[in-house]
Structures are given as structure tokens and as C-alpha cells.
Amino acid sequence: MIGVAEALDIILARVSAAGIERVMISQACGRIIAEDVVSGVNIPPLDNSAMDGYAVRGAGLAALPARLKVIGDLPAGSRWNGALGPGEALRIMTGAPLPDGADTVIKQELTRRDGHYVEILEREGAAHIRRAGEDIAAGDRVIASGTRLRPAHLGVLASIKKTIVSVYRQPQVAILSTGDELVDIDGDAGDGRIVNSNSYTLAALVQEAGATPRMLGIARDSADDLRAHFDHALHADIIVSSGGVSVGDYDFVKDVLRDMGAEMSLWKVAMRPGRPLAFGTIGSRPAFGLPGNPVSAMVSFEQFVRPAIRKMCGLRSLFRCTLTAVADEPVDTAQGLTCFVRCRVRREAGQYRARVTGAQGSGILMSMAEANALMIVPADAAGVRAGDRVAVQILDPEFDMSADHPF
Ligand code: AMP
Ligand code: MG
């Protein structure tokens, strides 16, 4: 059976970015930029004053106090025509361009004004000048392709007057549930029927991964109904189904995908939960047949679908953050399978500690709801002992965020 790492390699090798669109920067926060942005200009464009005070020639201040003639007043946003001569000062505001001839700004608090003259009482080491291009130099690459645009990036783009950027298109993910036992959320759940909860968890996971979910409902366990639903799913960039991939009498997902011309690359991975996994491509479209059990579907999604979506989104970082934690208690795992154990990680006395969130059956969704992480126990490990250091994959984007302020 194929291991988790090998399965990931197979899947990621068959996935590429979903395409590009152009957006205004006011609409671009959180999007993944699809171009390297190089500045054509210097920011700031000119040497300018970092203080409210007086622009002077530093060489004329050998002996202090010094009395200089004030030749004018320069607010921010205007430029001084002419140069500063010896014995002269120009009143200058923060951000105003430094006049020719000046090399130093003396801050106002170190001066005394006397009509058309100013007395420089003290001078500091710093020149208090912001140099042209000290923030961004013309020719600098300011943002690399594959970066998620954050507020500071938008400020940088605005500064260099780049109003429209290329970003990766957000892939659309078709989600369909399979099973004769399933009913919609508003349906009658008597007589052994089960509410289709996977569509809701999977749609939310898709959204959290940065793609757009399209819920295609429930397909029954017949080749015809599955085929009809999968045909519909071809409008999307990625297809994710749950259920019907085991070896049961009604598990037709793989056959249907193959009939549709999918090139199947996987159908079982050495992991728990989530061993059954069908993966193939229809044209350039990845199709994932996840197992039906709610936790298995989620764990498989986390390990395989999420990195694939992030790669299709154009991101360079594909994986959840993994930390090392100390296990609170022993955990039995299955040798030969990579085990993902639902747990809660907390910080305590300078280290992360992990506590299992309860029964690990693949239908026990509550232990997933209470978990903020998955403990990853390698296939060759003989379980976990209390006190062992274990890898934990953090699922909660708000992990470690504290209500206490840090000061
Ligand atoms: P399967 O992989 O199709 O054999 O499904 C395994 C089990 O997962 C089923 O017996 C159901 O209890 C459960 N299941 C399958 N699909 C869903 C779903 N969409 N929502 C909730 N539970 C499901
Ligand atoms: Mg089924």
C-alpha cells in the first residue's frame, strides 16, 4: 500500500495553478498574486525631512549656538526653488523635500526663532533626512509571485501606483456526497438514514483552504446516479466526493471515475483514519474520492485535498504548521499505518502538550470538533507513551491566540 508521503507526491505532481485574473488592488486583499512586482520608482521619491524644523548646511554649525537667516517656509507637498547658501536656514515640515544645498535638518525643539533669523542651540548626530529610495528603490522586486496579499502589500502597490494586479483564480470545488442511506439536512432521518453532514464539513474546509465550494448534493449508490452527479461536477476545477470508495457492494465511485476517462493514480493509502482514497484526474481536473466516514473524510481532506487546493491557488506554502508536543497520555496506534490522532494542543510551562480528545472511531465527529490538531504517529512507531515527543499538525487557524494581551 502507498504511504502518505508518496500519495502526496503523486497528487501534487498532477495539480497546477488554476489560472489568472486581473483585479483592482482594493479587491486584492487575501488573494495570491500571480506576478513578480518590480518598482519603477523610488519611494520616497526625493530626499525629505524626517522632522519639523530647519534645513541647514551642517558645515556651518561648527560652533553653537549659530544664528542663521531664514529664507522661507516649506510645507510638505511643495518644493523649494533655489538653493540654500551658507548662513541660511529654511523652515521645513516633515515630509517636505530637502532644498539643494542643505544636508541636515535641525529639529524645532533645538532652535529659537527670532523674526527672520533662527538660532540653532544644539545639534544631534542624526541628519533627520529620509533618503530617496530608502523604502523602495527603482528596480527592486517588492512582491514575489505566490505571495498572499496582506494590507502592507496593498500599501506598497498603491505607493508605486500599481492599481491592477494579476492574481490566481480561486478554484471551484464540486462537492458531492454518495450513499443510499443519506438524507438532506431537512429530510427525514428515520429508518437507518443519516444526515449528509460531510457536504457541510467539506464545503467549509474548501472555503478555509481558499477555494469556492459548489455543493452538488447526494448521489445514490448506483453507477447511473453517480455518473450524472460526476458529469455535473465537471464544471468545477476540482471534484471532491465522499463515500463509496471502499470494497463494499455499493462502492462504485472508482468505477464511475474510470468510466468517465479519469486516469486513476491511487485508491488506498496506508493511514488511519482514511485508508480508502480514490484519486485521479479527468483532463486536468483532479478528482478525490474520499471515504464516507465523517472523520476519515476530514483527515483525508486535510492531508491531500487541502495541499492540492493551495497549489491550485498559486500558493508556495501548502501545508499546515506542524509543531512538536509532549503527549499527556499513551496512545495505541496501528503499526504499518500513519495514524492521525485527534488531540488538543496547549502551551504549558514553555512547551506544547497534547491531549487526545476522546474515542478515535472514524465516525466520532465530536472528537474532531474538540480537537485543534492531529497528532501524526508514523507508520513504524509502536504507539505513543506518555511523555513522548510527537508531531502535531495544527488545524485551528486561531491556535495559540490568547485573550491576554502580551504586555
Ligand atoms: P462509505 O465510505 O460510503 O462506506 O461510508 C461509510 C459511512 O460513512 C456510512 O455508513 C455513513 O455512516 C457515513 N457517511 C457516508 N457519507 C456520509 C455523509 N455525506 N455524511 C455523513 N456521514 C456519511
Ligand atoms: Mg456509502
Side-chain angles (χ1 to χ4, degrees):
M1 213 183 329
I2 283 176
V4 175
E6 202 189 332
L8 248 181
D9 289 342
I10 289 172
I11 291 167
L12 292 176
R14 285 163 178 73
V15 167
S16 49
I20 284 169
E21 62 191 7
R22 312 251 301 149
V23 294
M24 302 282 295
I25 60 170
S26 52
Q27 303 301 314
C29 195
R31 301 298 299 272
I32 316 305
I33 194 162
E35 58 180 316
D36 283 335
V37 178
V38 175
S39 177
V41 294
N42 283 322
I43 305 291
L46 302 166
D47 288 356
N48 68 91
S49 177
M51 293 283 168
D52 293 330
Y54 292 88
V56 302
R57 297 163 78 102
L61 303 180
L64 292 179
R67 191 174 159 81
L68 304 174
K69 179 159 198 268
V70 179
I71 58 169
D73 203 330
L74 187 65
S78 39
R79 208 165 170 178
W80 189 254
N81 292 318
L84 198 77
E88 292 179 344
L90 177 71
R91 175 124 173 89
I92 195 165
M93 296 294 114
T94 304
L98 204 70
D100 288 343
D103 56 18
T104 304
V105 173
I106 306 293
K107 66 182 183 194
Q108 182 164 309
E109 296 87 323
L110 305 180
T111 66
R112 190 181 322 128
R113 185 70 181 257
D114 175 14
H116 292 303
Y117 288 85
V118 64
E119 212 175 344
I120 309 296
L121 305 174
E122 274 177 62
R123 98 178 260 206
E124 294 170 313
H128 296 311
I129 293 165
R130 303 192 287 218
R131 295 290 170 197
E134 73 173 20
D135 183 0
I136 297 167
D140 278 356
R141 187 188 72 174
V142 290
I143 305 177
S145 184
T147 302
R148 188 187 294 284
L149 294 175
R150 294 291 175 211
H153 297 123
L154 301 176
V156 165
L157 292 168
S159 304
I160 65 170
K161 297 181 132 227
K162 176 133 176 109
T163 48
I164 295 174
V165 285
S166 295
V167 294
Y168 287 104
R169 203 163 57 70
Q170 284 173 320
Q172 294 225 336
V173 183
I175 294 170
L176 63 101
S177 289
T178 74
D180 284 344
E181 76 280 27
L182 300 178
V183 288
D184 280 328
I185 200 164
D186 52 357
D188 176 4
D191 292 336
R193 305 200 134 222
I194 290 173
V195 174
N196 166 22
S197 61
N198 284 354
S199 286
Y200 293 87
T201 35
L202 293 173
L205 287 169
V206 162
Q207 224 155 6
E208 202 205 32
T212 310
R214 290 186 46 204
M215 291 224 234
L216 298 188
I218 300 168
R220 298 303 164 197
D221 287 323
S222 76
D224 286 348
D225 200 41
L226 279 169
R227 179 67 197 250
H229 278 78
F230 273 103
D231 275 340
H232 209 58
L234 292 175
H235 294 291
D237 301 297
I238 310 176
I239 302 171
V240 176
S241 69
S242 67
V245 286
S246 313
V247 290
D249 292 343
Y250 299 97
D251 291 336
F252 297 128
V253 167
K254 287 189 301 282
D255 301 338
V256 167
L257 284 172
R258 220 177 265 119
D259 280 353
M260 292 172 74
E263 203 177 298
M264 300 307 290
S265 341
L266 280 180
W267 71 281
K268 248 184 190 178
V269 181
M271 63 189 275
R272 175 176 291 169
R275 184 167 7 181
L277 170 75
F279 172 78
T281 43
I282 307 180
S284 64
R285 199 174 288 95
F288 293 86
L290 305 181
N293 276 305
V295 176
S296 311
M298 288 189 78
V299 170
S300 291
F301 184 100
E302 282 290 345
Q303 306 317 316
F304 305 116
V305 186
R306 186 175 191 276
I309 288 178
R310 288 175 66 88
K311 188 169 181 198
M312 289 186 84
C313 286
L315 281 161
R316 279 167 299 164
S317 60
L318 305 183
F319 304 108
R320 296 270 198 197
C321 164
T322 300
L323 305 173
T324 302
V326 177
D328 275 356
E329 66 220 310
V331 186
D332 278 339
T333 56
Q335 239 177 345
L337 304 175
T338 302
C339 290
F340 296 87
V341 181
R342 285 146 262 168
C343 66
R344 194 143 189 102
V345 176
R346 66 191 188 281
R347 200 166 168 84
E348 196 175 284
Q351 62 183 3
Y352 292 111
R353 299 204 58 107
R355 181 179 58 76
V356 175
T357 52
Q360 296 289 310
S362 54
I364 312 288
L365 192 52
M366 275 310 295
S367 57
M368 191 69 179
E370 279 164 14
N372 62 1
L374 293 171
M375 190 185 292
I376 304 176
V377 185
D380 59 2
V384 173
R385 291 159 305 177
D388 276 358
R389 292 165 71 77
V390 289
V392 287
Q393 181 183 52
I394 303 297
L395 303 179
D396 181 358
E398 304 249 307
F399 175 70
D400 228 354
M401 290 203 172
S402 168
D404 297 329
H405 64 60
F407 310 109

